Amino acid sequence: MPTPPEIVQLLASPVHRFEGRPADGPAPAPPGELVDEVRIRAGLGIVGDRYFGKPAHRDASITVIAAESLPAGVDLVQVRRNILVRGIAVDDLVGAVLVLDSGDGPVALRVRRRANPCAWLDTTIGPGAWRALRNKGGVRCTPLTDGTLRRGPVTATVEGRLFA
């Protein structure tokens, strides 16, 4: 029986943590980057996030990763994706429109490309994480509509197909 879709975690971080070399370690996480809800603006991203409104990131300002891809105990602070979902195979959705509704109306995300993992994951998660997450490191999306997403159960559709 399939897992009912849900939003497990949300991250909106105003700062980059992975700068320099992985051996130097990431910058400290600012307080409050794991949140219960995020406000999304079409074409701009997540309000308060480091990529919000940045021209270089407009077509990939929101990242989504499936909980099924991550080792047990790993969270968004370690992988730096914005939305952690369960029950949605996001890595298979490149080119599609993913619509999520956590109770405040639908939010449409155009899935542009894979969010390929980087060597930093061997530092933040542990040795071998970078290789283990190849082809399942999540996706980069463009928000097509304004809206709010919250942690908890979510209705998820892809071009008319309902995840249940």
Side-chain angles (χ1 to χ4, degrees), residues 62-126:
I62 296 177
T63 53
V64 183
I65 191 167
E68 293 84 355
S69 297
L70 298 176
V74 172
D75 67 20
L76 291 180
V77 172
Q78 294 163 295
V79 295
R80 308 306 291 167
R81 302 297 186 245
N82 298 114
I83 302 171
L84 177 63
V85 295
R86 180 172 286 123
I88 306 168
V90 297
D91 294 301
D92 300 333
L93 301 179
V94 173
V97 174
L98 171 64
V99 180
L100 301 172
D101 187 342
S102 59
D104 291 298
V107 175
L109 305 172
R110 166 72 66 189
V111 181
R112 295 288 184 184
R113 62 183 183 270
R114 290 183 183 270
N116 294 317
C118 67
W120 276 99
L121 296 181
D122 285 347
T123 301
T124 61
I125 296 173

Side-chain angles (χ1 to χ4, degrees), residues 9-157:
Q9 286 184 318
L10 295 164
L11 181 135
S13 180
V15 298
H16 293 276
R17 292 189 55 224
F18 299 168
E19 295 182 317
R21 298 175 182 263
D24 298 334
E33 47 178 24
L34 287 178
V35 295
D36 290 329
E37 70 178 50
V38 291
R39 287 185 317 137
I40 294 173
R41 297 275 315 277
L44 297 173
I46 294 174
V47 175
D49 189 67
R50 63 202 176 279
Y51 294 124
F52 182 79
K54 302 280 193 242
H57 296 281
R58 283 213 179 126
D59 71 344
S61 60
I62 296 177
T63 53
V64 183
I65 191 167
E68 293 84 355
S69 297
L70 298 176
V74 172
D75 67 20
L76 291 180
V77 172
Q78 294 163 295
V79 295
R80 308 306 291 167
R81 302 297 186 245
N82 298 114
I83 302 171
L84 177 63
V85 295
R86 180 172 286 123
I88 306 168
V90 297
D91 294 301
D92 300 333
L93 301 179
V94 173
V97 174
L98 171 64
V99 180
L100 301 172
D101 187 342
S102 59
D104 291 298
V107 175
L109 305 172
R110 166 72 66 189
V111 181
R112 295 288 184 184
R113 62 183 183 270
R114 290 183 183 270
N116 294 317
C118 67
W120 276 99
L121 296 181
D122 285 347
T123 301
T124 61
I125 296 173
W130 174 58
R131 280 211 164 116
L133 286 172
R134 278 195 210 158
N135 297 318
K136 53 184 181 175
V139 291
R140 297 187 180 280
C141 306
T142 302
L144 302 177
T145 58
D146 291 352
T148 299
L149 292 175
R150 299 178 194 283
R151 288 182 48 228
V154 66
T155 301
T157 57

